[in-house]
Amino acid sequence: MHPITTATAAALVAGLAGAACAADTDALLADAKSAAPDEIANNATVMDWDGNTLQQGSNGFTCFPTPPTLNGTAPMCLDAAWASWADAWMNKKPFTASTVGISYMLAGDGGASNIDPYAQEETPGNDWIVEGPHLMIIVPDAASLEGMSTDPHNGGPYVMWKGTDYAHIMVPTTGK
């Protein structure tokens, strides 16, 4: 697995948000690092949404604070496979994972459709879910997701966005 390059991370950052965070660096670092276990977060690169490196890392993970366009808390920490996934998702490009990828969101998120990768808000038919602390897994072979639940209320792991290039396993956890 290759570490995320500065160019890849900058492209990811540029695509996800255009506004600068108003919080100070310490607050941004604390928020971003709350996404992953301490062992991961303390050795990860941490970037803000303007592409500035707040902490240089050595473990191939890149953590981001909650996007300034979101209300609530939703920091994330991505490995290189997830950075490629995020680039494809943001740019609506086809995606197939070349390796297993891990992304942490141990502070939870503000919500997303469980079936529509591009839904911006809850609607009666888009199976909106606000997830607590979780990690996300992508796999190279989408067929390996067959038979897994897609029910976010089943009390365990489930597949989000099944049938799309962005399908991934959501694994609820207790957080930090």
Side-chain angles (χ1 to χ4, degrees), residues 47-123:
M47 297 186 74
D48 68 17
W49 293 104
D50 290 325
N52 300 307
T53 300
L54 306 177
Q55 170 182 297
Q56 187 60 51
S58 60
N59 64 5
F61 280 85
T62 302
C63 299
F64 296 92
T66 299
T69 57
L70 296 181
N71 293 324
T73 303
M76 64 187 80
C77 198
L78 314 169
D79 69 6
W82 267 94
S84 295
W85 177 98
D87 175 67
W89 173 71
M90 289 182 308
N91 293 295
K92 298 183 178 180
K93 299 186 301 191
F95 178 79
T96 301
S98 60
T99 185
V100 171
I102 304 290
S103 176
Y104 292 94
M105 291 188 79
L106 297 184
D109 65 40
S113 168
N114 192 45
I115 57 175
D116 179 356
Y118 294 105
Q120 295 294 310
E121 60 187 27
E122 183 174 7
T123 64

